[in-house]
Amino acid sequence: MTATAPARPAPLTSSAPTSSWRLRWSKLWPPLLVAVIVVVAWELAVDVFDVSSYIIATPSEIAAEIVANWQLLLTNTWVTTQEVVYGFLISIVVGVALALAVVRFRFLDRAIYPLIVLFQVVPKVALAPIFILWFGYSMTPKLVLIVVIAFFPITLNMVLGLRRTDEDLLLLMNSVGSSKNEILARIQVPTSLPYLFAGLRIAITLAVIGAVVAEFAGSQNGLGHQIQFASTQLDTAQMFAALIFVSVLGLVLYYLVGFVEYLFKRRFPHLALADV
Amino acid sequence: MTVSGISARGIGMAFGSTVVLDQLDIDVPAGSFVTLLGPSGCGKSTLLKILGGILTPTVGEVMIGDAPARQAVAAKQIGLVLQRPALVPWKTARENVAMLRSIAGKGKARDQAVDDALDLVGLAHAADRYPHQLSGGMAQRVSIARALAMDPAILLMDEPFGALDAITRDSMNETLASIWAATGKTIVFVTHSIGEAVFLSDTVNVMGVNPGRIIDRMTIDIDRPRRADLLDSAEFTGYSTRLREQLVVPQQAGV
Ligand SMILES: Nc1ncnc2c1ncn2[C@@H]1O[C@H](COP(=O)(O)OP(=O)(O)OP(=O)(O)O)[C@@H](O)[C@H]1O
Ligand SMILES: [Mg+2]
């Protein structure tokens, strides 16, 4: 983080987007080139070595599969997207609430926080079948699994941020008789927001994992279910097609969170500087 | 505003096994200007926080007026200037000054007192800047304005002018002296600078180190108002010399 950020972001001039786009392009083409080479080599290798199509599908077969099953893939993507987004939003509420509670009440800090940390040794993915057992084939077990996996980085980062407050500032607040709530709201929460965003970026990727695993464990739709189902049919091309859709979904959601963070930092540049 | 004095008895402070202050008594008469002068690390900042009731000593008692120091805090009588500016990074200078004032319930967030305080420290032009756009000295002056805007009965200042150049420092000293003369606040002022202590104080408390204690109290009987040209007078140099002897000799003996 630089200490020299200007007070207001410079207005976009006509030359700025072009140059930043060029910058992007110069960074983008090397990995893109490698990707193209890999895909071509993949296609050729499968042909040359005559690998049977249920072990690995060629890129062209996967592409054909995507075109043929476009509607089904979209439907399943929509199902998974809903699970991830709702689960992520609930994770934010749970994660932030826990962080605030732990920092605000000494008792909770001592009683609950160690348990939350200890709970992280449980391989939460293994909880999926239990949640299916409890909540059936509805959306609920997916949301529960996502929250269980994704709340922790949010809580952890927010607690860190809430505790990063300037000691002298706390002293000053105390000197005018501020209540703990007032200090929390006026000083600690704003200080913690850049940390919260770091937690959100981790949480969104975990949320996608949670959704897919929950769908593996028991579901009638969603991209995870589609991968699972295709595997029972030895339909490798369909498995890869669904895999690509999950990956793109994860990427899009990750950048969406990054974009919200960017908007936030642009709107409140001085808040973003708070931890300098 | 009833001005109160501070009286501390038998103050001892330890951080873990480190004894910072031992068996310390100090009186700050109502409406007086009292300085704590001493070498780095002797416990001046610690003592100042204890006197303001925002740090509880390990042993001993601090009274402000007739009540325990905590009550003066609850009554929002304490204005604090710490050694570091400790500004809120996401608020402008003006918002920083206004925040504590409004929390203390001493007026609306944006009123004249806020701008007056900034004007007093010579920062009216920088009111809308954010802390990272201020120099160290400017940030410290914002923190002084923040304390002044609270209009506290007791002003506790920890090396407030330490980060300023000599010229600004002299003019801030004069400003502070005139604020004190006009408002009759009780001021406790921490400094490394002997000249500053003599110029401003009614009483200078010289502190010794290991453990922190008061080794001498000197009353400065120079007429007020004191002007900058005082600095060259024999009277002024006399006090300075005696204070310097106090500070240097015991330290050499201790080493
Ligand atoms: N919170 C703390 N925990 C542990 N030790 C502390 C703490 N605060 C102060 N001390 C110690 O107490 C001693 C006195 O510190 P203090 O800040 O009061 O000194 P000072 O006289 O203000 O020094 P300076 O002139 O350099 O500001 C130092 O040795 C310091 O290390
Ligand atoms: Mg100090």
Side-chain angles (χ1 to χ4, degrees):
Chain A
M1 209 164 285
T2 60
T4 51
R8 301 258 179 277
L12 291 177
T13 64
S14 59
S15 72
T18 338
S19 64
S20 82
W21 191 85
R22 252 189 223 133
L23 201 74
R24 290 260 169 99
W25 178 239
S26 73
K27 272 189 174 176
L28 211 58
W29 74 259
L32 215 61
L33 181 68
V34 173
V36 168
I37 292 173
V38 167
V39 167
V40 171
W42 174 0
E43 181 85 40
L44 291 176
V46 174
D47 272 356
V48 169
F49 298 113
D50 198 21
V51 185
S52 81
S53 70
Y54 59 82
I55 292 180
I56 194 160
T58 60
S60 57
E61 284 167 346
I62 297 167
E65 174 69 28
I66 290 174
V67 173
N69 268 327
W70 182 250
Q71 204 52 52
L72 181 64
L73 283 164
L74 275 194
T75 310
N76 282 326
T77 303
W78 177 235
V79 169
T80 305
T81 305
Q82 280 177 299
E83 292 166 2
V84 172
V85 169
Y86 292 149
F88 178 63
L89 292 178
I90 299 171
S91 301
I92 296 177
V93 173
V94 171
V96 168
L98 272 174
L100 290 174
V102 157
V103 169
R104 173 64 181 80
F105 300 105
R106 225 187 151 66
F107 167 76
L108 294 183
D109 183 27
R110 292 208 304 225
I112 294 188
Y113 201 51
L115 293 181
I116 295 176
V117 175
L118 197 68
F119 177 63
Q120 298 314 305
V121 303
V122 175
K124 283 164 273 8
V125 164
L127 295 172
I130 302 177
F131 293 150
I132 303 288
L133 189 73
W134 288 349
F135 304 111
Y137 275 28
S138 64
M139 195 193 265
T140 314
K142 286 101 183 173
L143 297 184
V144 174
L145 188 69
I146 289 171
V147 172
V148 159
I149 294 179
F151 85 92
F152 186 66
I154 298 176
T155 302
L156 188 75
N157 276 278
M158 182 117 185
V159 165
L160 268 179
L162 290 169
R163 296 213 163 122
R164 270 293 301 261
T165 316
D166 185 339
E167 286 289 327
D168 284 347
L169 205 47
L170 291 185
L171 220 53
L172 281 160
M173 295 293 284
N174 284 328
S175 79
V176 292
S178 301
S179 67
K180 281 188 170 182
N181 290 336
E182 211 164 14
I183 293 176
L184 197 62
R186 286 185 187 245
I187 307 291
Q188 291 179 284
V189 168
T191 309
S192 74
L193 292 180
Y195 292 80
L196 174 63
F197 274 111
L200 294 186
R201 265 184 279 136
I202 303 170
I204 190 68
T205 51
L206 293 179
V208 175
I209 294 175
V212 170
V213 169
E215 287 171 0
F216 282 170
S219 179
Q220 276 135 1
N221 45 24
L223 289 169
H225 167 259
Q226 192 170 358
I227 292 173
Q228 172 91 334
F229 178 79
S231 93
T232 64
Q233 308 292 308
L234 301 181
D235 186 348
T236 315
Q238 194 184 345
M239 284 175 69
F240 273 94
L243 185 64
I244 288 170
F245 272 63
V246 181
S247 308
V248 171
L249 173 62
L251 205 67
V252 167
L253 290 175
Y254 181 83
Y255 277 106
L256 216 58
V257 171
F259 183 64
V260 172
E261 179 177 6
Y262 163 79
L263 289 181
F264 167 83
K265 286 189 169 163
R266 213 175 64 159
R267 175 71 184 77
F268 303 104
H270 308 285
L271 214 50
L273 288 172
D275 57 343
V276 172
Chain B
M1 183 174 72
T2 54
V3 179
S4 341
I6 309 173
S7 140
R9 290 285 168 273
I11 301 298
M13 187 70 194
F15 294 105
S17 60
T18 324
V19 178
V20 175
L21 299 173
D22 190 36
Q23 290 280 327
L24 190 147
D25 298 333
I26 184 172
D27 280 298
V28 180
S32 67
F33 198 120
V34 170
T35 306
L36 306 176
L37 177 70
S40 181
C42 71
K44 302 181 294 294
S45 299
T46 307
L47 178 58
L48 192 75
K49 290 169 193 166
I50 290 173
L51 291 179
I54 51 167
L55 186 66
T56 310
T58 319
V59 291
E61 187 180 42
V62 180
M63 302 287 283
I64 295 181
D66 300 325
R70 277 258 136 231
Q71 285 190 23
V73 174
K76 285 117 171 118
Q77 286 187 2
I78 310 288
L80 205 55
V81 181
L82 296 174
Q83 202 163 348
R84 293 190 313 110
L87 302 177
V88 178
W90 58 87
K91 288 182 184 289
T92 62
R94 180 187 281 113
E95 290 164 351
N96 263 286
V97 172
M99 186 183 75
L100 281 198
R101 181 182 155 78
S102 69
I103 291 176
K106 303 239 172 153
K108 299 222 179 59
R110 287 204 64 158
D111 55 22
Q112 196 54 41
V114 173
D115 287 323
D116 288 349
L118 280 165
D119 204 20
L120 217 48
V121 298
L123 284 180
H125 66 284
D128 293 317
R129 293 204 209 161
Y130 287 88
H132 72 100
Q133 298 165 324
L134 300 171
S135 73
M138 290 165 94
Q140 186 60 304
R141 280 186 281 162
V142 173
S143 89
I144 295 166
R146 175 173 60 187
L148 292 176
M150 289 228 341
D151 194 23
I154 295 171
L155 196 51
L156 304 175
M157 309 178 86
D158 196 346
E159 298 185 34
F161 308 140
L164 303 183
D165 64 279
I167 294 165
T168 316
R169 191 172 183 146
D170 286 347
S171 99
M172 288 304 299
N173 278 335
E174 281 196 65
T175 308
L176 182 61
S178 65
I179 291 171
W180 175 73
T183 58
K185 293 179 193 305
T186 306
I187 299 184
V188 184
F189 189 93
V190 171
T191 182
H192 280 137
S193 157
I194 293 172
E196 198 168 70
V198 174
F199 183 80
L200 289 169
S201 310
D202 292 329
T203 309
V204 179
N205 290 275
V206 181
M207 291 184 69
V209 74
N210 281 330
R213 63 203 187 283
I214 290 171
I215 54 177
D216 191 30
R217 286 167 227 274
M218 189 179 289
T219 308
I220 310 293
D221 282 316
I222 301 178
D223 290 343
R224 292 180 190 267
R226 300 170 185 169
R227 313 277 325 170
D229 51 23
L230 176 74
L231 304 180
D232 303 320
S233 71
E235 207 180 8
F236 186 89
T237 351
Y239 281 114
S240 302
T241 311
R242 274 159 55 202
L243 283 172
R244 189 165 292 113
E245 283 163 5
Q246 290 286 347
L247 282 169
V248 173
V249 176
Q251 260 200 312
Q252 280 177 342
V255 171

